[in-house]
PDB file of all heavy atoms in Angstrom:
ATOM      1  N   TYR N 215     160.763 304.992 157.382  1.00 98.00           N
ATOM      2  CA  TYR N 215     160.331 304.059 156.336  1.00 98.00           C
ATOM      3  C   TYR N 215     161.318 304.081 155.174  1.00 98.00           C
ATOM      4  O   TYR N 215     160.934 304.321 154.041  1.00 98.00           O
ATOM      5  CB  TYR N 215     158.899 304.378 155.895  1.00 98.00           C
ATOM      6  CG  TYR N 215     158.678 305.828 155.536  1.00 98.00           C
ATOM      7  CD1 TYR N 215     158.806 306.271 154.217  1.00 98.00           C
ATOM      8  CD2 TYR N 215     158.308 306.764 156.536  1.00 98.00           C
ATOM      9  CE1 TYR N 215     158.595 307.618 153.889  1.00 98.00           C
ATOM     10  CE2 TYR N 215     158.099 308.077 156.205  1.00 98.00           C
ATOM     11  CZ  TYR N 215     158.242 308.506 154.914  1.00 98.00           C
ATOM     12  OH  TYR N 215     158.066 309.811 154.572  1.00 98.00           O
ATOM     13  N   ARG N 219     159.913 302.620 149.044  1.00 98.00           N
ATOM     14  CA  ARG N 219     159.864 302.526 147.582  1.00 98.00           C
ATOM     15  C   ARG N 219     160.257 301.150 147.101  1.00 98.00           C
ATOM     16  O   ARG N 219     159.661 300.641 146.134  1.00 98.00           O
ATOM     17  CB  ARG N 219     160.727 303.613 146.990  1.00 98.00           C
ATOM     18  CG  ARG N 219     160.486 303.803 145.460  1.00 98.00           C
ATOM     19  CD  ARG N 219     161.203 305.044 144.996  1.00 98.00           C
ATOM     20  NE  ARG N 219     160.676 306.262 145.557  1.00 98.00           N
ATOM     21  CZ  ARG N 219     159.519 306.849 145.143  1.00 98.00           C
ATOM     22  NH1 ARG N 219     158.818 306.296 144.228  1.00 98.00           N
ATOM     23  NH2 ARG N 219     159.128 307.949 145.733  1.00 98.00           N
ATOM     24  N   SER N 264     152.873 314.857 156.690  1.00 98.00           N
ATOM     25  CA  SER N 264     153.388 313.486 156.774  1.00 98.00           C
ATOM     26  C   SER N 264     152.714 312.587 155.752  1.00 98.00           C
ATOM     27  O   SER N 264     153.378 311.714 155.152  1.00 98.00           O
ATOM     28  CB  SER N 264     153.151 312.921 158.193  1.00 98.00           C
ATOM     29  OG  SER N 264     153.837 313.661 159.148  1.00 98.00           O
ATOM     30  N   THR N 265     151.436 312.836 155.448  1.00 98.00           N
ATOM     31  CA  THR N 265     150.740 312.043 154.482  1.00 98.00           C
ATOM     32  C   THR N 265     151.286 312.327 153.086  1.00 98.00           C
ATOM     33  O   THR N 265     151.462 311.422 152.256  1.00 98.00           O
ATOM     34  CB  THR N 265     149.241 312.362 154.568  1.00 98.00           C
ATOM     35  OG1 THR N 265     148.771 312.124 155.875  1.00 98.00           O
ATOM     36  CG2 THR N 265     148.437 311.467 153.555  1.00 98.00           C
ATOM     37  N   ARG N 266     151.562 313.569 152.801  1.00 98.00           N
ATOM     38  CA  ARG N 266     152.165 313.910 151.497  1.00 98.00           C
ATOM     39  C   ARG N 266     153.471 313.158 151.303  1.00 98.00           C
ATOM     40  O   ARG N 266     153.788 312.652 150.194  1.00 98.00           O
ATOM     41  CB  ARG N 266     152.388 315.419 151.389  1.00 98.00           C
ATOM     42  CG  ARG N 266     151.110 316.278 151.346  1.00 98.00           C
ATOM     43  CD  ARG N 266     151.456 317.743 151.067  1.00 98.00           C
ATOM     44  NE  ARG N 266     150.231 318.557 151.193  1.00 98.00           N
ATOM     45  CZ  ARG N 266     149.880 319.224 152.231  1.00 98.00           C
ATOM     46  NH1 ARG N 266     150.629 319.134 153.333  1.00 98.00           N
ATOM     47  NH2 ARG N 266     148.753 319.918 152.250  1.00 98.00           N
ATOM     48  N   SER N 267     154.263 313.102 152.354  1.00 98.00           N
ATOM     49  CA  SER N 267     155.572 312.467 152.245  1.00 98.00           C
ATOM     50  C   SER N 267     155.471 310.987 151.986  1.00 98.00           C
ATOM     51  O   SER N 267     156.219 310.453 151.162  1.00 98.00           O
ATOM     52  CB  SER N 267     156.378 312.663 153.565  1.00 98.00           C
ATOM     53  OG  SER N 267     156.619 314.069 153.755  1.00 98.00           O
ATOM     54  N   VAL N 268     154.564 310.267 152.645  1.00 98.00           N
ATOM     55  CA  VAL N 268     154.494 308.815 152.422  1.00 98.00           C
ATOM     56  C   VAL N 268     153.917 308.528 151.042  1.00 98.00           C
ATOM     57  O   VAL N 268     154.322 307.542 150.397  1.00 98.00           O
ATOM     58  CB  VAL N 268     153.651 308.120 153.514  1.00 98.00           C
ATOM     59  CG1 VAL N 268     154.314 308.224 154.862  1.00 98.00           C
ATOM     60  CG2 VAL N 268     152.218 308.616 153.610  1.00 98.00           C
ATOM     61  N   LEU N 269     153.034 309.384 150.566  1.00 98.00           N
ATOM     62  CA  LEU N 269     152.506 309.181 149.191  1.00 98.00           C
ATOM     63  C   LEU N 269     153.610 309.453 148.166  1.00 98.00           C
ATOM     64  O   LEU N 269     153.746 308.704 147.168  1.00 98.00           O
ATOM     65  CB  LEU N 269     151.334 310.093 148.920  1.00 98.00           C
ATOM     66  CG  LEU N 269     150.080 309.831 149.734  1.00 98.00           C
ATOM     67  CD1 LEU N 269     149.010 310.824 149.391  1.00 98.00           C
ATOM     68  CD2 LEU N 269     149.598 308.411 149.620  1.00 98.00           C
ATOM     69  N   ALA N 270     154.479 310.404 148.390  1.00 98.00           N
ATOM     70  CA  ALA N 270     155.595 310.690 147.531  1.00 98.00           C
ATOM     71  C   ALA N 270     156.622 309.532 147.566  1.00 98.00           C
ATOM     72  O   ALA N 270     157.391 309.371 146.604  1.00 98.00           O
ATOM     73  CB  ALA N 270     156.287 311.997 147.940  1.00 98.00           C
ATOM     74  N   ALA N 271     156.647 308.748 148.620  1.00 98.00           N
ATOM     75  CA  ALA N 271     157.583 307.629 148.728  1.00 98.00           C
ATOM     76  C   ALA N 271     157.107 306.389 148.055  1.00 98.00           C
ATOM     77  O   ALA N 271     157.777 305.345 148.107  1.00 98.00           O
ATOM     78  CB  ALA N 271     157.881 307.330 150.237  1.00 98.00           C
ATOM     79  N   GLY N 272     155.921 306.466 147.422  1.00 98.00           N
ATOM     80  CA  GLY N 272     155.421 305.297 146.638  1.00 98.00           C
ATOM     81  C   GLY N 272     154.217 304.639 147.186  1.00 98.00           C
ATOM     82  O   GLY N 272     153.652 303.759 146.510  1.00 98.00           O
ATOM     83  N   PHE N 273     153.777 304.946 148.375  1.00 98.00           N
ATOM     84  CA  PHE N 273     152.558 304.333 148.922  1.00 98.00           C
ATOM     85  C   PHE N 273     151.337 304.805 148.082  1.00 98.00           C
ATOM     86  O   PHE N 273     151.300 305.960 147.655  1.00 98.00           O
ATOM     87  CB  PHE N 273     152.387 304.671 150.412  1.00 98.00           C
ATOM     88  CG  PHE N 273     153.314 303.957 151.308  1.00 98.00           C
ATOM     89  CD1 PHE N 273     154.401 304.652 151.866  1.00 98.00           C
ATOM     90  CD2 PHE N 273     153.172 302.598 151.556  1.00 98.00           C
ATOM     91  CE1 PHE N 273     155.310 304.006 152.741  1.00 98.00           C
ATOM     92  CE2 PHE N 273     154.062 301.982 152.434  1.00 98.00           C
ATOM     93  CZ  PHE N 273     155.085 302.634 153.035  1.00 98.00           C
ATOM     94  N   ARG N 304     145.771 313.178 144.691  1.00 98.00           N
ATOM     95  CA  ARG N 304     146.949 312.372 144.210  1.00 98.00           C
ATOM     96  C   ARG N 304     146.516 310.985 143.782  1.00 98.00           C
ATOM     97  O   ARG N 304     147.377 310.103 143.614  1.00 98.00           O
ATOM     98  CB  ARG N 304     147.948 312.295 145.379  1.00 98.00           C
ATOM     99  CG  ARG N 304     148.683 313.648 145.596  1.00 98.00           C
ATOM    100  CD  ARG N 304     149.360 313.701 146.953  1.00 98.00           C
ATOM    101  NE  ARG N 304     150.138 314.903 147.072  1.00 98.00           N
ATOM    102  CZ  ARG N 304     149.664 316.112 147.225  1.00 98.00           C
ATOM    103  NH1 ARG N 304     148.350 316.332 147.284  1.00 98.00           N
ATOM    104  NH2 ARG N 304     150.493 317.166 147.361  1.00 98.00           N
TER     105      ARG N 304
END
Side-chain angles (χ1 to χ4, degrees):
Y215 49 94
R219 193 169 294 281
S264 298
T265 304
R266 293 187 186 96
S267 297
V268 295
L269 295 180
F273 287 106
R304 287 161 173 75

